[in-house]
Amino acid sequence: MPRETGRLEKAVSRTSSMHVDGESDGRVLPTTGPNADDRQSAEAPEGRRPTKENTEQTTAPRTQSRTSASSGLSGVRGVARKDKQVRFTALLHHVTVGQLQASFYALKRTAAPGVDGVTWTEYETDLDARLTTLHSRVHQGMYRAQPSKRAYIPKPDGRQRPLGIAALEDKIVQHAVGTVLNQIYEAEFVGFSYGFRPGRSPHHALDALWVGLMRKKVNWVLDADIRGFFDTIDHGWLKKFVEHRVADRRILRLIQKWLSAGVIENGAWTDSDQGAPQGASASPLLANVYLHYVLDLWAQRWRRRHAHGDVIIVRYGDDFIVGL
């Protein structure tokens, strides 16, 4: 079924291309992966059979502070899972020096530097002092996000995909905040969402699609890709969507700083009143939050209340397939 899987195969290519030539770091990874209950509910919508591969969890970086950090984040995860309406008012305190360190070591070491010109190896020199200072600036409101550096990687069709390479400290803070937010959103996201999530990969999405097409009675398959999605995300709506679960104003200000930092290309700065740069650590999570409210919840409601017969849905980032 080459046509049906084409978009998701492109997602495999996209994930791999995020690392070529050291141009960008990967997705945000949480401290812990989804538990067994999460995996069961995630696989139920498409009737997937459990496999050993599909129940493996993403391993987080090991640091001395990982145990205490995991304990604190598990409390956030537990509350998010128990109460789907709660809004979290105090999250920034989970961004500790230890969490910043774990995020630093989770970054791709050979990634190209951003506008700051600082490489991973250079920053590791006197790391403790650097992270202590960074932590202080973040918590005192003195942290300032730097513009992303524009870079391009080739698409399979010959076009160029724009990336935004963040400064190293922006990568660290984005990853740390994303680790905290993932505890909330992994209890929120629906089962047919596979892109940029812990313990899930393009191969899991393809597996779910194959099982759905083979086991469900579908006559039509819609293969869709949202054109220019990352470049056109509406900041106003994204902020409203995040605020459904996050009420910590300090976290919201950090997200706003990243979104409005702009892009530098050929020495010229460009304002960013919309979009989230591909390549930034926080962008995949923010994109999933946006599509969760714009697409996933609507599709889930329509399938349950209005659809006649079998319906399968698999989404990976801004690519999705619907079978009717």
Side-chain angles (χ1 to χ4, degrees):
M1 51 184 173
R3 176 58 184 151
E4 289 82 352
T5 61
R7 293 294 185 188
L8 289 175
E9 287 174 346
K10 186 194 76 173
V12 177
S13 174
R14 172 180 296 182
T15 302
S16 301
S17 68
M18 294 286 279
H19 300 281
V20 297
D21 297 328
E23 289 179 336
S24 177
D25 289 288
R27 65 184 180 184
V28 174
L29 295 177
T31 303
T32 57
N35 62 20
D37 292 337
D38 294 332
R39 290 192 297 271
Q40 184 178 6
S41 63
E43 294 173 320
E46 309 309 341
R48 299 178 62 197
R49 57 183 183 275
T51 63
K52 179 179 179 181
E53 177 188 9
N54 294 346
T55 58
E56 291 178 350
Q57 297 184 9
T58 301
T59 303
R62 296 181 179 179
T63 66
Q64 294 179 348
S65 59
R66 181 180 175 186
T67 301
S68 59
S70 297
S71 177
L73 292 177
S74 66
V76 175
R77 186 168 61 252
V79 172
R81 184 179 294 116
K82 183 178 180 180
D83 188 348
K84 299 296 185 179
Q85 303 300 320
V86 69
R87 298 179 70 225
F88 292 84
T89 59
L91 292 172
L92 190 63
H93 69 279
H94 292 291
V95 181
T96 62
V97 174
Q99 184 58 63
L100 292 173
Q101 184 187 60
S103 293
F104 171 76
Y105 282 108
L107 298 178
K108 186 175 176 63
R109 304 187 180 196
T110 58
V115 296
D116 58 344
V118 179
T119 66
W120 189 95
T121 303
E122 291 170 343
Y123 198 87
E124 190 182 26
T125 303
D126 201 17
L127 180 63
D128 291 343
R130 291 178 185 268
L131 293 180
T132 299
T133 300
L134 177 60
H135 175 268
S136 178
R137 286 190 281 120
V138 169
H139 284 262
Q140 293 177 15
M142 299 173 62
Y143 161 80
R144 296 290 181 269
Q146 299 189 59
S148 297
K149 184 173 72 174
R150 177 67 74 207
Y152 295 90
I153 59 174
K155 291 184 176 183
D157 61 5
R159 294 180 297 165
Q160 297 287 310
R161 174 178 292 118
L163 291 182
I165 304 176
L168 186 59
E169 287 194 336
D170 291 331
K171 295 177 184 178
I172 297 170
V173 179
Q174 287 184 29
H175 190 288
V177 171
T179 300
V180 176
L181 294 181
N182 255 321
Q183 310 311 308
I184 300 171
Y185 288 110
E186 279 305 300
E188 183 82 7
F189 291 153
V190 301
F192 55 78
S193 168
Y194 288 88
F196 317 113
R197 293 182 59 186
R200 295 181 171 218
S201 72
H203 298 291
H204 295 142
L206 288 169
D207 177 48
L209 177 63
W210 187 89
V211 172
L213 292 176
M214 294 298 103
R215 294 189 176 186
K216 300 295 182 178
K217 296 179 180 179
V218 296
N219 298 311
W220 299 91
V221 175
L222 170 67
D223 178 10
D225 177 11
I226 303 176
R227 180 181 299 174
F229 171 69
F230 278 89
D231 298 329
T232 57
I233 292 176
D234 186 289
H235 290 178
W237 279 108
L238 176 58
K239 180 180 178 181
K240 291 178 181 179
F241 295 150
V242 173
E243 288 177 346
H244 279 303
R245 300 306 303 269
V246 178
D248 188 329
R249 293 297 169 185
R250 299 174 298 174
I251 294 290
L252 295 174
R253 281 195 293 268
L254 285 174
I255 294 174
Q256 184 60 49
K257 288 178 180 180
W258 299 327
L259 292 175
S260 59
V263 176
I264 289 183
E265 182 174 4
N266 298 324
W269 178 81
T270 303
D271 189 13
S272 52
D273 56 356
Q274 64 178 4
Q278 294 190 62
S281 299
S283 293
L285 174 59
L286 295 177
N288 268 338
V289 171
Y290 194 93
L291 288 174
H292 173 73
Y293 289 101
V294 169
L295 176 63
D296 296 353
L297 293 183
W298 172 82
Q300 187 179 60
R301 181 185 179 92
W302 181 84
R303 178 165 66 173
R304 289 176 176 175
R305 299 192 178 188
H306 303 289
H308 299 284
D310 290 337
V311 177
I312 63 170
I313 307 172
V314 176
R315 181 176 70 79
Y316 194 97
D318 58 332
D319 302 307
F320 60 96
I321 291 178
V322 178
L324 302 170

